[in-house]
Amino acid sequence: MGKMGRTETRSTCCYCGTGCGVLIASEDGRITGVRGDPQHPANYGRLCSKGLNLAASAASDSGRALYPEMRPTRHAPRQRVGWDAALDSVAAGFASIIRQHGPDAVAFYVSGQLLTEDYYLFNKLAKGVVGTNNIDTNSRLCMSSAVTAYKKAFGADGPPTCYADLEQADCVLFAGSNLAYAHPVLLRRLEEARAARPDMRWIVIDPRRTDTAVMADLHLQIQPGTDVALFNGMLHHLIWEGLVAEDYIHAHTEGFAELKQMVRNTTPKMAAEICGIREEDLIQAAEWFGHSPASLSLYCMGLNQSSHGTDKNLALINLHLATGQIGKPGAGPFSLTGQPNAMGGREVGGMATMLAAHRDIDNAAHRAEVAAHWGVPAERLSATPGLPAIAMFDALQQGRIKAIWIACSNPAHSLPNLPQVRAALARAELVVVQDAFAHTDTTALADILLPAATWGEKEGTVTNSERRISRVRAAVPPPGEAQSDGWIVSQIARRLEVLLYPGAASLFADTEVASVFDEHCALTTGRDLDISGLSHAVLDSAGPQQWPLPAGAEQGQARRYVDGVFATANGRARFHAVRYQPPAENVSAHYPFRLLTGRLRDQWHGMSRTGRLPQLFAHCPEPALEMHPDDAARRDLQAGDLVRISSKRGQLVLPLAISRELPGGTVFAAMHWNGQFLNSGGINEASQPQVDDQSFQPELKHAAVKVEKISLPWRVTAALRCDDLPAMQARLAPLLCQCSYAAIALHGPDVLLLRAAHATALADWLQQLLDVLGLHPGPDVLEYRDDRRGVVKRVAWADGRLSGFVFASSSATDVPAADSLLQQLQAGEAWQGSRLTVFAPAGQRAVAREKIVCQCRQVGETAIRQCLERGESVAHLKNTLGCGSVCGSCVPEIKRMAASVAQPA
Ligand SMILES: Nc1nc2c(c(=O)[nH]1)N[C@H]1C(S)=C(S)[C@@H](COP(=O)(O)OP(=O)(O)OC[C@H]3O[C@@H](n4cnc5c(=O)[nH]c(N)nc54)[C@H](O)[C@@H]3O)O[C@H]1N2
Ligand SMILES: Nc1nc2c(c(=O)[nH]1)N[C@H]1C(S)=C(S)[C@@H](COP(=O)(O)OP(=O)(O)OC[C@H]3O[C@@H](n4cnc5c(=O)[nH]c(N)nc54)[C@H](O)[C@@H]3O)O[C@H]1N2
Ligand code: SF4
Ligand SMILES: [Mo]
């Protein structure tokens, strides 16, 4: 695996479900560059800021999990062991629990970031060898409402649409999707389409005025969770204005009469009231949607992550079916997948509620088909549904599940209600974690750590949002002793087989990646997602392909249901009369705010990869809780104040940011920050585990919380220039939890920043911090100290330049003074004049820290604003400042700035 010499390898980006093709340049076993693949039909050469930085994130092995590790005894720290010892221990541990307590006492928690082949093997191990359906994935937190709704409405999972529809739509409805941040390359395609066809209408439904919303012709800034009311109100208007497609409804659907009866009472006026928007806007949206020759909706977590996520999806699908906006170019309900292989996971049935190739667990014939394909007795496949993610961790906490094997996900950060998740992992008898990076909130709780190869180092396939299967290829060998996920699963599976079924033939005899893919393809024969015509060889010669692609077909199908025949038993799509229900948790006098959560443009989930690069912090350098200015004023809160956010489940502390993007009564926090960067596990300390009762997806977006100012007068600002930022971050992370607030951020080009706050001075902690930073007294170090008041200021120079400092004190003026030093540290210029001036109060040198808008060209907000104020156009800025000229991820924001310059608030 991996190539030597200088070469370019065709592969796929490992981040979002857009599934962009990349070309990886490598030299002598190291990745040296990444560019967009001009031939890949998802991106035609474009990449966003995250994709463009893939090579940088892979540049060093620092922070990678390099060797297997195990605890010698239950509570002892893990130690490095050989692969055989680790694999034997996992197998022995699982076998012993299975023998004692049955197969449902163990569980697998996997990920939409695994490759299809790895996913297939995990599923085969759980269902075919162990005989449990307790295999669920982080896709439960992500796509399960979309899956459930597709199955209910169309009879089968999978979007009916394709990316070419982006170019052909006349009306695009973005529902709970911040495409500008989460699927930037798709937004680029849409922007180009709208430039070519300016009549195209964009409607954005989002409680926040996101960069995507700003670009829309109409932004419906609804109250969180009210989408069903909105869609029903729109449908009411369409029906009573005669904008529905009677012929289509008659020929291809069922259940319309009941739906019509139900929405009779949801007038646009009532719906608009529930949603907190103007009735005219709701009607305008319905008119555009109904009158357009082709209406496309793009939806994501704003719909799915809800206790009524399935209903939200179904209510939107109702609109498409009622207007016949499906199965034709530019039209259809397009659920965007978040992770690079959420689709692949659905195809192989790697979830607790389904079997391979869209088969069902409760269908005996389906179980028999899969068992026959694997060569195991039909009884081996359990008829008991497995536990979906939230219930799985509940069972772990209650001791019903005793061992869990987590691969390619970081549940101790990404699941809701983290206090309980940590308790569950602490209670488990055996926690196995398979990750590419050594330091995550979940690896911290592992009994056994299995080091995985990752992007650029392994072979397989992924399926993107438009059902297109692309090859992922290895460009370099994995570092240390890391092994591919498929190898690890197969090794453990073979050992488990020997322990559980001695003498039986192995189901894991041929685990070559291409053979595993063939096995998966064969299992899809005759199913709606039939890909019996595919193989690695076909993908290698013909390039990425969409499913279905049965044997004999030349090409995959771009659109599904073009003939109006659906995958239900009678071929008709089904309407569902779904009623609006509010979020599970009410806001109250005690918990008055609705907590929204979501993504930042340049970070990926738990930041194990993006959190290594200072350039990816520049757009949003530090964590924050956003609040509307009126709410803040009412509570006497100011930007930068530290606030405690609490729900019924848990609490965390964050600095406050003021934002006009939010409606009053809501607050927003990004999901990314976690225990490696913060003194808490992040926003999921407080979030909501209540699930949708059809899809079992938790309501990650709508907890009820309270926000209180807290007084933490002792403040620490520490910064250090260092070559190996991930290593320094990993060494500092364990210190964070001792403070009431603490956060680590990276600043370009090579500076690590730590901020902390506490009620009183923490002398021992401060000493540990100085030790880890290596800021020891010496000729190039100056110190000012007043131990009685907890004041310590230590500053270090190297080669005549500032190299690091710690400012700890309870004086309000020391934080700005430290910020000004931080800027000098970043600038890296030779120190002028007396070193003693570092202890002087912040002078004119202190300037507010600059936000970098364009990550590729490192262009800051001030420069852009100045040019815009001089009257330069956004297009012109690309030439003068260079911003927006590479990946384009910042263009929405620059356009928003241009609008605000043109119309001062
Ligand atoms: N930069 C970046 N991109 C990513 C990822 C990442 O981590 N970073 N992760 C990937 C993954 S796995 C996923 S799932 C996708 C997620 O992609 P998106 O779903 O587009 O992203 P989010 O920010 O989670 O949520 C989208 C929007 O839903 C809104 N919202 C909240 N509540 C409601 C509601 O009740 N109704 C409506 N209509 N909207 C609501 C939020 O305000 C937010 O702007 O992104 C993928 N792409
Ligand atoms: N509050 C809130 N919480 C959320 C969300 C939200 O919007 N709000 N969104 C939810 C959604 S949609 C999602 S998808 C989840 C995502 O949540 P997670 O699944 O926890 O996300 P990641 O941090 O991407 O975790 C992937 C892990 O796999 C590791 N890894 C990378 N490559 C490989 C590899 O090749 N092999 C192996 N074995 N490991 C590898 C990474 O280091 C990382 O630790 O978060 C969910 N949680
Ligand atoms: S849009 Fe960005 S993150 Fe998503 S696949 Fe493309 S390059 Fe990767
Ligand atoms: Mo996701």
Side-chain angles (χ1 to χ4, degrees), residues 113 138 305 409-410 414 434-435 454 458 485 597 606 608 684:
Q113 294 172 63
N138 57 6
Q305 285 174 343
S409 180
N410 183 9
S414 53
Q434 178 169 325
D435 203 290
T454 184
K458 57 181 192 177
D485 290 294
T597 65
S608 62
N684 284 327

Side-chain angles (χ1 to χ4, degrees), residues 13 15-16 18-20 47-48 50-51 183-185:
C13 176
Y15 293 120
C16 83
T18 304
C20 296
L47 291 179
C48 77
K50 293 178 296 304
H183 299 90
V185 165

Side-chain angles (χ1 to χ4, degrees), residues 178 182 206 208 225 227 301 599-601 603 605 701-702:
N178 185 7
D206 196 308
R208 297 160 58 222
D227 304 76
M301 293 310 118
R599 283 155 176 81
L600 297 174
R601 194 190 75 189
Q603 293 292 356
H605 300 162
K701 291 216 176 329
H702 300 148

